[in-house]
Amino acid sequence: MKTVRQSLGYLIAGILLFFLIKPFVLTHAELKDVTLEVQWEWLIASFGLHLLYRSLYPYPFATLLRGLTGKQVSFRAAFTLFHLANITRYLPGRIWGVVRLLSLSPRFGLSKTAVGSALTSHVGIETALGGLIGVSLLLSPKMQETALGMIDKISGHTAFLSLACIGVLIGTLFLIPKVATHARAFLKTLTSLKQHPKICADVITGHVLLWICQGFAFFLFVKSFAPVAWRDAFGLTACFAFAWIVGFLSFLTPGGLGIREGLLGVLLSSYMPTTQATFLALVCRLWMLTAEILLALIAFFLHRSCYERQNDAHNL
């Protein structure tokens, strides 16, 4: 059994490495002549701020869990649960992060229904706010033509696949009795949030602050490679949000790999040369993935130490 787990771990690592390296290989000829001067102080500051964002990201999730379960769900538990599962979202299929999250939830004394409902609300609010920020690109004369052009290119496959997946999901919910029972319980738990307006307000406020933190971190990241002005901070945040939304909605690649970088490169080309923008879009994925891997390792050691303490207490 241990050998199987190790083999599976190597397989997962190989898949992640493939999807990470693939965009660099495909654009190698285009990027080989790119030269950049790195402003290390801005790069370090941007990574620290992004790490703070990723660390605090589970806070609204924990708040939702407290409201749905009526339990005192600690931030540490939510952090560990979320980041243990988050890294698996890069596996092909786009569902493994959720599957992993639900499978781990009983270890933290949480029901799968409550965790699923909290995750749905958490991601739904994040996506809605990101969509509002991204749509602001259409109000910018500088970016309007670029954004509209990209919508024309990507809306077809994204809309088709989204509708197809929604159709399959609805069909599954209605045609399979056991799934339908769990779906009704899930919706009942989700609607119970209406009884907690303060929790909803806290979650929305938390996500607004998280988007501000993430947007400023991305701006500092770009500033570490290109001489962008401080007044461009909101525009670059909107570029990131727009690319993030499209990558999130795309079902073609795990974690939006490739699609998000391609779109982000096009949007950044309004601020810098195209080859430089393409390079930054690819490096941005490394910048984000490094933080996710680091937090996943922290979550792993937190979970292991907690498990060992429980075993010691049981043995006593």
Side-chain angles (χ1 to χ4, degrees):
M1 190 66 182
K2 183 177 180 181
T3 304
V4 174
R5 288 198 301 267
Q6 289 178 341
S7 300
L8 183 59
Y10 292 140
L11 177 62
I12 292 172
I15 293 172
L16 290 176
L17 191 61
F18 168 77
F19 280 105
L20 183 61
I21 293 176
K22 184 179 178 182
F24 287 93
V25 174
L26 294 176
T27 57
H28 172 72
E30 181 183 353
L31 300 177
K32 64 181 181 180
D33 296 326
V34 174
T35 56
L36 296 173
E37 291 186 7
V38 182
Q39 302 293 323
W40 290 103
E41 64 275 16
W42 294 126
L43 184 59
I44 293 171
S46 72
F47 184 75
L49 198 57
H50 179 65
L51 196 62
L52 175 65
Y53 159 77
R54 294 304 307 179
S55 299
L56 296 178
Y57 183 79
Y59 179 78
F61 178 62
T63 304
L64 286 165
L65 281 174
R66 285 193 288 270
L68 290 170
T69 63
K71 300 179 179 178
Q72 287 299 318
V73 180
S74 67
F75 174 74
R76 173 174 173 164
F79 175 94
T80 306
L81 173 62
F82 184 87
H83 286 294
L84 278 177
N86 181 60
I87 199 68
T88 57
R89 67 191 174 91
Y90 286 103
L91 293 175
R94 299 299 303 273
I95 64 169
W96 300 111
V98 178
V99 171
R100 179 64 172 162
L101 189 75
L102 296 179
S103 66
L104 287 171
S105 56
R107 299 187 188 181
F108 294 84
L110 299 168
S111 71
K112 295 181 180 180
T113 301
V115 170
S117 300
L119 180 66
T120 301
S121 301
H122 179 67
V123 175
I125 293 170
E126 177 191 23
T127 304
L129 290 173
L132 289 175
I133 296 171
V135 167
S136 67
L137 281 175
L138 302 179
L139 304 178
S140 169
K142 182 177 182 179
M143 299 294 299
Q144 192 173 51
E145 184 177 348
T146 301
L148 288 174
M150 290 307 301
I151 288 176
D152 290 337
K153 292 179 182 179
I154 62 177
S155 60
H157 83 267
T158 300
F160 174 78
L161 289 172
S162 297
L163 290 174
C165 289
I166 291 172
V168 171
L169 177 61
I170 293 175
T172 302
L173 293 178
F174 281 100
L175 295 177
I176 302 178
K178 187 175 181 179
V179 176
T181 301
H182 287 297
R184 285 193 294 269
F186 169 80
L187 291 174
K188 183 178 179 181
T189 304
L190 194 60
T191 54
S192 68
L193 285 173
K194 294 180 179 179
Q195 304 172 9
H196 305 281
K198 185 179 184 302
I199 287 178
C200 293
D202 289 345
V203 170
I204 292 173
T205 302
H207 271 297
V208 169
L209 294 175
L210 284 172
W211 266 113
I212 292 172
C213 183
Q214 170 70 334
F216 192 59
F218 178 71
F219 167 73
L220 292 180
F221 168 78
V222 175
K223 192 173 180 61
S224 65
F225 291 96
V228 291
W230 289 98
R231 64 176 177 272
D232 292 325
F234 181 77
L236 288 169
T237 299
C239 289
F240 179 86
F242 192 82
W244 183 89
I245 290 293
V246 174
F248 177 79
L249 294 177
S250 173
F251 295 92
L252 296 180
T253 58
L257 282 167
I259 293 176
R260 186 176 299 167
E261 286 73 33
L263 177 55
L264 188 58
V266 172
L267 295 174
L268 288 177
S269 64
S270 297
Y271 294 89
M272 63 193 73
T274 302
T275 53
Q276 186 177 3
T278 303
F279 180 80
L280 254 65
L282 295 176
V283 174
C284 181
R285 174 64 74 170
L286 288 174
W287 176 72
M288 293 189 295
L289 188 58
T290 301
E292 292 178 14
I293 292 174
L294 179 60
L295 292 174
L297 289 173
I298 293 172
F300 172 77
F301 285 114
L302 286 174
H303 182 58
R304 191 173 73 170
S305 64
C306 180
Y307 183 75
E308 290 174 350
R309 284 198 302 269
Q310 289 177 350
N311 282 341
D312 291 341
H314 180 73
N315 292 333
L316 291 175

